[in-house]
Amino acid sequence: FTIFNPLDEACSDAFYLPALPPELCAENEGVTLQPVVRADGTDATAVYGLSRPALGSAVLRLRRTSVPGGGQSPFVFTGDTLTTPHLRVRFDGSGAIISLITRADGMEWCGGPMNQFLCGEDVPAGWDGWDIDADCAMKLAPTARLLERRVTVNGPMELRIHSVYAVCEHSTLTQDAVFRADTPLVEWESSLVWNEKHRLLKTAFHTNVRARFARCETQFGCIQRPTTRNDSLEQAKFEVCCHKYADLSEPSYGVALLNDCKYGVSVEGGRIALSLAKGGMRPDPRGDEGVYTFRYAFLPHTGGFCAQSVVRPAYAFQYAALPASGEGLPSEPLVRVDAANVMPETVKPCEDGGHAFILRLYECEGSYARTRLSLAPGCSGAQLCDMLEQPFAPCPAELEFRPFEIKTLRITYTDREDTP
């Protein structure tokens, strides 16, 4: 397989392939294959430890072996407690996490149940399919019932706890809680069968982090939202928009709730609640009935909020590796920057054609940054341009960014057919 990395930094985190025969193992040094069963019941193979260059590709080579693969599991699960290489976790009878401790520092992150499902009546005064009114928060209650729970995967790199919930009167949620041996991040891989009218479903994480503001990602940056309700302005922010992450951080540590497609969140005190489904009936009386698949994750981190602790893990969670069958040529990184808080966010063809592509970068922390830009061999020049891709100046050797500044570059390259 040829594995493409859509991120702007080298990584070796897990990705999934279709189920491989058990007699296959990886030729690449340090790579582990583990058979898994996904939340939807399909078989797959998890690949851990394959290093992929930034905006480049790597080749995963497989061979047959007579020695059975796998290895000893580092996970210890006893029904209501779980120990991983990074975490000690305890569950209650409903399946929610009631204690989550990072083993490296002994920090307890729970201030109440985590991954607790809340459902309540949602009848907004207007714009039924879009609005959430403030009184909805008073109607939310933990109504979910745990119907089934079992361990479906327990291997050297990954453990999955499969759960089925009746989250509302007519809706069920099938979910895998995924714990990994190489990270403290906990992921929930979910499939929701939604058949509700005028109902709102959330998952709530009660943490013991205390911060005046939560950072909610928006395009090319983040917005600080108050975690208090002291005046009418703060009370109006009972539900706000977030893209890849919502983060609560004190100066030396914090937590982030990552997601791949759910963009409404409420943060009050130490609680982060992510909106999962809404049962509006206008303009379409069928509402949003159907089957939805989505993922979200809880990430405890040290060092407070920064690009390396929150933003880059959120990008990695959002943009998984892209596998393709067959052996391609391993490629060099297309673009590299040496400042962690400068994100090469967009790589796209130039609208006016020619031998050029557009590179758009931005500063993601809200701080000053300087960085050098390294381009792959074959790139012959770079120009600064506006958002309409009109060049206005040569690109300097070192780029300077103000907080949340966006820069757009036009990169020219040499066509292989024109090369002697």
Side-chain angles (χ1 to χ4, degrees):
F1 293 87
T2 300
I3 314 300
F4 296 91
N5 178 18
L7 304 174
D8 73 293
E9 62 178 346
C11 64
S12 58
D13 53 344
F15 63 92
Y16 296 91
L17 296 174
L20 299 175
E23 64 270 15
L24 292 181
C25 69
E27 287 187 357
N28 309 66
E29 186 177 356
V31 174
T32 301
L33 305 183
Q34 180 180 329
V36 299
V37 181
R38 307 295 294 270
D40 60 3
T42 59
D43 294 326
T45 298
V47 182
Y48 284 82
L50 180 68
S51 179
R52 289 98 65 187
L55 291 168
S57 64
V59 175
L60 173 66
R61 296 180 176 85
L62 305 175
R63 61 178 174 83
R64 297 186 182 276
T65 178
S66 58
V67 180
Q72 186 174 0
S73 170
F75 305 98
V76 179
F77 182 65
T78 62
D80 61 351
T81 61
L82 170 66
T83 301
T84 81
H86 291 274
L87 302 171
R88 290 197 298 271
V89 185
R90 187 158 53 92
F91 304 89
D92 66 9
S94 69
I97 294 175
I98 55 174
S99 176
L100 189 145
I101 299 172
T102 44
R103 297 178 62 183
D105 54 14
M107 176 68 185
E108 169 64 81
W109 299 95
C110 279
M114 288 186 178
N115 199 39
Q116 180 186 47
F117 299 108
L118 307 175
C119 191
E121 184 184 53
D122 173 38
V123 187
W127 308 107
D128 193 43
W130 293 271
D131 274 6
I132 298 175
D133 286 356
D135 65 347
C136 185
M138 297 182 290
K139 302 173 184 177
L140 294 173
T143 59
R145 293 181 294 111
L146 181 62
L147 304 179
E148 179 186 345
R149 186 174 178 82
R150 68 183 191 276
V151 174
T152 55
V153 175
N154 188 357
M157 297 301 298
E158 182 175 313
L159 178 136
R160 287 176 175 253
I161 302 176
H162 182 81
S163 303
V164 180
Y165 301 89
V167 289
C168 297
E169 186 177 355
H170 307 292
S171 302
T172 58
L173 176 68
T174 302
Q175 192 171 74
D176 276 7
V178 186
F179 298 86
R180 296 188 169 94
D182 59 351
T183 176
L185 179 143
V186 184
E187 176 184 338
W188 285 269
E189 189 178 278
S190 311
S191 176
L192 173 65
V193 181
W194 183 247
N195 297 298
E196 304 298 325
K197 308 289 188 184
H198 287 142
R199 291 291 184 271
L200 178 68
L201 176 66
K202 282 179 168 282
T203 179
F205 290 77
H206 300 79
T207 77
N208 58 15
V209 178
R210 295 294 176 260
R212 292 182 59 195
F213 296 95
R215 289 178 175 87
C216 301
E217 198 212 28
T218 188
Q219 190 176 29
F220 301 116
C222 62
I223 298 176
Q224 292 191 27
R225 304 288 194 181
T227 60
T228 52
R229 301 292 184 265
N230 293 330
D231 54 39
S232 60
L233 293 178
E234 292 182 356
Q235 291 163 13
K237 298 172 184 177
F238 60 90
E239 180 86 3
V240 296
C241 178
C242 76
H243 286 184
K244 301 179 189 68
Y245 64 82
D247 179 78
L248 273 175
S249 284
E250 297 180 13
S252 58
Y253 65 93
V255 297
L257 187 60
L258 316 181
N259 82 94
D260 70 343
C261 64
K262 299 297 180 183
Y263 304 126
V265 70
S266 55
V267 185
E268 184 173 4
R271 190 191 79 159
I272 308 175
L274 183 69
S275 296
L276 301 180
K278 179 175 166 58
M281 297 179 62
R282 294 193 308 272
D284 189 342
R286 297 169 300 177
D288 290 331
E289 293 181 359
V291 179
Y292 299 90
T293 58
F294 50 89
R295 298 159 50 242
Y296 55 90
F298 180 80
L299 175 64
H301 59 83
T302 57
F305 173 85
C306 67
Q308 291 172 315
S309 64
V310 177
V311 183
R312 289 187 175 276
Y315 267 81
F317 186 78
Q318 183 89 204
Y319 301 113
L322 304 172
S325 298
E327 181 174 346
L329 293 174
S331 61
E332 293 294 321
L334 180 64
V335 175
R336 284 180 294 186
V337 295
D338 56 15
N341 58 327
V342 174
M343 303 291 297
E345 204 276 341
T346 302
V347 178
K348 62 179 287 292
C350 190
E351 291 294 328
D352 64 2
H355 296 164
F357 64 89
I358 295 299
L359 172 65
R360 189 163 289 129
L361 310 99
Y362 78 102
E363 195 287 316
C364 66
E365 291 179 350
S367 62
Y368 175 84
R370 295 178 70 92
T371 184
R372 288 187 175 275
L373 184 69
S374 300
L375 300 172
C379 294
S380 55
Q383 294 174 293
L384 293 172
C385 58
D386 59 24
M387 297 289 263
L388 297 178
E389 304 181 9
Q390 303 297 318
F392 62 81
C395 182
E398 192 171 46
L399 294 171
E400 184 175 1
F401 287 81
R402 298 187 304 274
F404 297 132
E405 184 180 0
I406 306 168
K407 289 186 185 294
T408 304
L409 277 64
R410 188 178 191 272
I411 311 296
T412 56
Y413 59 87
T414 303
D415 196 321
R416 290 185 178 180
E417 294 181 359
D418 298 339
T419 304

